[in-house]
Amino acid sequence: MSGAEAAFVFGLISSVISICEATKTIYEAAKDAKGQPEAFRQVYAQLGLVIGILDRTKEKAKKVDEASQDALEPILESCKAKAENLNKIFQKVIRKDDDKWYDRYKKAVGTLGKGQKVESLMTEILKDMQVLACEKLTEVATEAQAKEIKEAIKEMNEMPSSLQEETGGAVTQNHEGSGSNYANTAGGFWNSGSGNLTQNDIKGDAHFGKN
């Protein structure tokens, strides 16, 4: 690898490391504040792993040839973009002096676009680390780190959505005969009724009356 090419790769790696460290600092400054979201805590917990893999990648990159360098660049550039978006969300959302994080979070994700939830961004960053450590540059990750990356991706994928409204949807009710029928769509009105009610497919708010 030429000196210029090596410097470019090292610069990309260093940039991603710096962004991840800055994101850690934002969280650590307010991690005990009231109302901090659990999703942010779990994402924060993975930043150390990412930084560790990138540090080892920087060392290994000193020995790669030009073809390997070409393969590293798009992964690192993609990872940098995700790390930047994650950092932007942490900057806009995390506060030490209030617990209005959810409204700020919704606004921040809305600005960045679909697929920019913190757990989604971290999942993709971890997948980039997996490619770097296990495919593009062998021996970057120890066996324990490779296992840790795999488990971290699984943990991120299994997390509940950090924007809870995305888990809502239609509610189907089946009720026959007399008696009360109740429905609630987690955030809408509480709906109830009595009499003979048949199946109702409900989207959004609905009200039931007596037949």
Side-chain angles (χ1 to χ4, degrees), residues 167-181:
T167 64
V171 177
T172 299
Q173 290 180 274
N174 297 291
H175 183 78
E176 294 183 2
S178 60
S180 298
N181 193 13

Side-chain angles (χ1 to χ4, degrees), residues 94-154:
I94 299 296
R95 296 285 187 279
K96 189 173 184 178
D97 54 352
D98 70 69
D99 60 356
K100 306 296 184 183
W101 67 269
Y102 191 75
D103 290 339
R104 292 193 295 271
Y105 183 37
K106 283 176 63 178
K107 184 176 181 180
V109 172
T111 300
L112 292 173
K114 186 177 180 181
Q116 302 298 303
K117 294 180 295 181
V118 291
E119 68 272 21
S120 300
L121 287 167
M122 179 51 73
T123 298
E124 294 306 312
I125 290 171
L126 288 166
K127 287 179 179 178
D128 287 339
M129 295 302 100
Q130 193 173 47
V131 172
L132 284 175
C134 303
E135 297 179 24
K136 300 300 181 183
L137 295 175
T138 58
E139 299 179 1
V140 163
T142 64
E143 184 176 344
Q145 284 177 320
K147 182 179 180 182
E148 191 176 356
I149 294 170
K150 185 177 180 180
E151 291 175 347
I153 292 172
K154 182 174 182 289

Side-chain angles (χ1 to χ4, degrees), residues 8 15 20 25 38 41 65 67 72 80 83 104 112 139 145 154 156 159 163 173 179 188 203 205:
F8 181 72
S15 180
C20 290
T25 300
E38 174 64 15
R41 185 196 67 77
D65 57 22
L72 290 177
K80 181 182 177 183
R104 292 193 295 271
L112 292 173
E139 299 179 1
Q145 284 177 320
K154 182 174 182 289
M156 290 295 106
M159 278 179 58
L163 290 177
Q173 290 180 274
K203 294 181 179 179
D205 299 326

Side-chain angles (χ1 to χ4, degrees), residues 21-138:
E21 288 178 339
T23 304
K24 281 188 66 180
T25 300
I26 292 168
Y27 184 84
E28 288 168 354
K31 65 181 179 181
D32 296 323
K34 179 181 177 181
Q36 294 299 346
E38 174 64 15
F40 282 59
R41 185 196 67 77
Q42 293 191 44
V43 167
Y44 158 80
Q46 305 303 335
L47 287 168
L49 174 61
V50 173
I51 292 169
I53 295 298
L54 289 169
D55 279 332
R56 290 175 64 92
T57 298
K58 185 187 288 187
E59 292 300 313
K60 185 70 174 179
K62 294 177 181 178
K63 304 174 183 179
V64 302
D65 57 22
E66 186 171 346
S68 298
Q69 184 267 339
D70 289 341
L72 290 177
E73 287 182 21
I75 300 168
L76 290 169
E77 288 174 341
S78 174
C79 186
K80 181 182 177 183
K82 296 162 195 165
E84 286 175 337
N85 282 346
L86 187 63
N87 180 266
K88 287 176 184 176
I89 293 174
F90 271 60
Q91 285 188 51
K92 292 178 179 179
V93 175
I94 299 296
R95 296 285 187 279
K96 189 173 184 178
D97 54 352
D98 70 69
D99 60 356
K100 306 296 184 183
W101 67 269
Y102 191 75
D103 290 339
R104 292 193 295 271
Y105 183 37
K106 283 176 63 178
K107 184 176 181 180
V109 172
T111 300
L112 292 173
K114 186 177 180 181
Q116 302 298 303
K117 294 180 295 181
V118 291
E119 68 272 21
S120 300
L121 287 167
M122 179 51 73
T123 298
E124 294 306 312
I125 290 171
L126 288 166
K127 287 179 179 178
D128 287 339
M129 295 302 100
Q130 193 173 47
V131 172
L132 284 175
C134 303
E135 297 179 24
K136 300 300 181 183
L137 295 175
T138 58

